[in-house]
Amino acid sequence: MRLPEKAFYSIALFVLMLGSTTTFAATFDGYECTDDCSGHQAGYEWAEEKGIYDENSCSTPSSSFNEGCQSFIEGGAGVVSTDDDGDEESDDDE
C-alpha cells in the first residue's frame, strides 16, 4: 500500500472514531447519567419489583442504582432522556 492510500485510510478511520465517541447528555427521570443509565434502570426496576417505598432502602455503594431506586419512590416514569440542546425552558420565550 502506498503512502497516500495509508494516509487516506488513517484519516477515514480517525473520522469514524470521532463519530463513535460523540457524547450526549442523558438523564434518567432527571438524574444525570455518566454512561448508559443502566445503573439507574437497575435501581428503578429493583425498587419496582420489591415494592420499595422507603428511601432508606436505596442505600448501596452505587450512586446510580440509588438514584434509580429513589426515582421509583418519587413516582418517576423510569425513562431515559437525551437532550442535546440543553435547557428546554429557554425555548419558551414567546
Side-chain angles (χ1 to χ4, degrees):
M1 190 179 296
R2 296 177 301 176
L3 185 59
E5 289 176 26
K6 285 184 180 180
F8 172 77
Y9 287 115
S10 295
I11 291 169
L13 180 61
F14 178 72
V15 169
L16 286 173
M17 289 173 54
L18 280 177
S20 68
T21 60
T22 301
T23 59
F24 54 89
T27 59
F28 185 88
D29 287 341
Y31 292 100
E32 288 186 38
C33 301
T34 56
D35 193 17
D36 62 359
C37 300
S38 60
H40 291 85
Q41 188 69 45
Y44 184 94
E45 290 174 0
W46 175 82
E48 185 177 38
E49 289 171 10
K50 301 292 184 187
I52 303 297
Y53 293 98
D54 177 18
E55 61 186 60
N56 292 326
S57 298
C58 300
S59 181
T60 72
S62 171
S63 60
S64 61
F65 186 94
N66 297 343
E67 290 173 350
C69 178
Q70 188 68 32
S71 174
F72 175 76
I73 292 171
E74 294 169 349
V79 175
V80 176
S81 301
T82 57
D83 183 9
D84 295 342
D85 44 33
D87 188 13
E88 294 177 3
E89 293 177 1
S90 64
D91 294 335
D92 297 331
D93 292 337
E94 295 179 28

